[in-house]
Amino acid sequence: MKNLFINKIRLSAVSIFFIILHVVFGVIGFILTKKAPSDVMYVEDSVYLYFTNNFLYCMVLVVGVVTAGLLTTFLIATNAYLLGVTMKGALLLGHDVGYILYHILHGVIELPAIYFFYKIGIYPVSLFLKYFVVGNKFDFWIDIYTVIKNFIFGTVLLLLAAVIEFLL
């Protein structure tokens, strides 16, 4: 029971950190944006391109494993900052909040997908805390299962977000 409780705390701490990063850097991006972009560029025009664009970004998040989650954390903060800049830019271009919400509807699914890849990218930190700080027994197969599960959930959600983004 003790291990289950500790795992729940660890997972919720990861979730809270992810949310705080998004909120703080999104607000910073929103506040610091003073000028609307000169033009808007739409690159993706198919489900395949939406999916591969987001999937490649998520693979870079996973590479954060090598940097013990530092690269992953930096990229999440940058992504949140750019989201804030984009929202403020849309408002400065004269779009209303409804327009913004309509265009970021796919984000309701895309952000949880990114969260699953974020969890893989910072997994070394979780493992260090789990095995060396808390002192849990090492279990290689459970850790592999966790990474595979996060990868599959993230990929499925990214595909669903790509379909929704294409249809909008």
Side-chain angles (χ1 to χ4, degrees):
M1 185 67 174
K2 179 181 175 188
N3 290 342
L4 178 65
F5 182 69
I6 288 170
N7 286 339
K8 291 290 183 188
I9 290 173
R10 180 178 53 84
L11 290 176
S12 64
V14 168
S15 302
I16 290 169
F17 186 67
F18 181 80
I19 292 167
I20 288 172
L21 269 177
H22 266 86
V23 170
V24 168
F25 283 93
V27 168
I28 289 171
F30 188 86
I31 291 171
L32 292 181
T33 302
K34 303 293 183 208
K35 182 178 156 189
S38 58
D39 59 8
V40 179
M41 183 172 72
Y42 295 99
V43 178
E44 296 92 358
D45 61 354
S46 71
V47 173
Y48 173 76
L49 289 176
Y50 282 119
F51 176 76
T52 54
N53 179 41
N54 289 326
F55 188 74
L56 291 174
Y57 169 73
C58 287
M59 289 301 95
V60 175
L61 289 178
V62 169
V63 171
V65 163
V66 176
T67 63
L70 292 176
L71 175 65
T72 303
T73 303
F74 172 76
L75 290 173
I76 290 295
T78 303
N79 188 26
Y81 177 83
L82 291 175
L83 185 60
V85 168
T86 303
M87 283 194 228
K88 180 71 171 269
L91 288 174
L92 290 173
L93 287 172
H95 298 293
D96 62 357
V97 175
Y99 172 87
I100 294 169
L101 292 176
Y102 175 77
H103 279 62
I104 62 170
L105 184 62
H106 71 281
V108 173
I109 296 171
E110 193 174 308
L111 278 178
I114 291 171
Y115 171 72
F116 283 112
F117 288 102
Y118 161 79
K119 284 174 58 173
I120 296 171
I122 65 162
Y123 205 61
V125 176
S126 298
L127 290 178
F128 177 78
L129 293 173
K130 180 176 168 184
Y131 296 127
F132 297 109
V133 175
V134 176
N136 286 355
K137 183 180 172 207
F138 183 72
D139 193 342
F140 177 77
W141 294 111
I142 288 186
D143 295 327
I144 292 296
Y145 170 76
T146 301
V147 170
I148 291 171
K149 180 182 69 169
N150 286 335
F151 184 84
I152 290 171
F153 287 161
T155 303
V156 168
L157 286 174
L158 275 181
L159 185 58
L160 182 61
V163 169
I164 290 171
E165 191 169 8
F166 176 72
L167 293 174
L168 292 178

